[in-house]
């Protein structure tokens, strides 16, 4: 399921969102997913979702900051 959501998130985002963003999905009553919003400036403290997701992939907060700066 992770690959499905990642690929769908990539499809939802435009090519202009190169540094970082967050895509929020919901399921309707029949469990069909839909995109609720694309947040182009998601929270960015060490306890926000983007840094938490990066940490799950082995990217610590200082490194994440460096990568975002490099992409911007």
């Amino acid at each position: 399921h992770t690959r499905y959501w990642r690929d769908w998130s990539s499809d939802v985002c435009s090519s202009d969102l190169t540094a970082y963003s967050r895509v929020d999905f919901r399921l309707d009553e029949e469990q069909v997913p839909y995109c609720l919003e694309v947040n182009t400036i998601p929270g960015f403290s060490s306890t926000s979702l983007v840094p938490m997701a990066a940490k799950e992939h082995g990217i610590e907060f200082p490194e994440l900051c460096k990568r975002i700066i490099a992409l911007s």
Side-chain angles (χ1 to χ4, degrees):
H1 293 298
T2 301
R3 177 175 287 163
Y4 172 81
W5 291 106
R6 184 192 63 221
D7 291 349
W8 201 27
S9 296
S10 295
D11 290 344
V12 169
C13 291
S14 72
S15 60
D16 293 338
L17 302 175
T18 57
Y20 77 106
S21 62
R22 188 188 75 231
V23 181
D24 296 337
F25 293 98
R26 297 290 183 264
L27 299 174
D28 68 15
E29 298 81 20
E30 296 163 0
Q31 302 301 300
V32 176
Y34 64 94
C35 178
L36 179 65
E37 70 174 333
V38 176
N39 191 331
T40 58
I41 308 175
F44 200 74
S45 69
S46 59
T47 59
S48 297
L49 292 176
V50 170
M52 287 171 52
K55 190 170 188 168
E56 288 290 317
H57 292 276
I59 304 168
E60 296 295 330
F61 190 70
E63 176 62 23
L64 177 62
C65 293
K66 290 176 187 175
R67 289 183 183 200
I68 289 173
I69 290 168
L71 288 170
S72 297

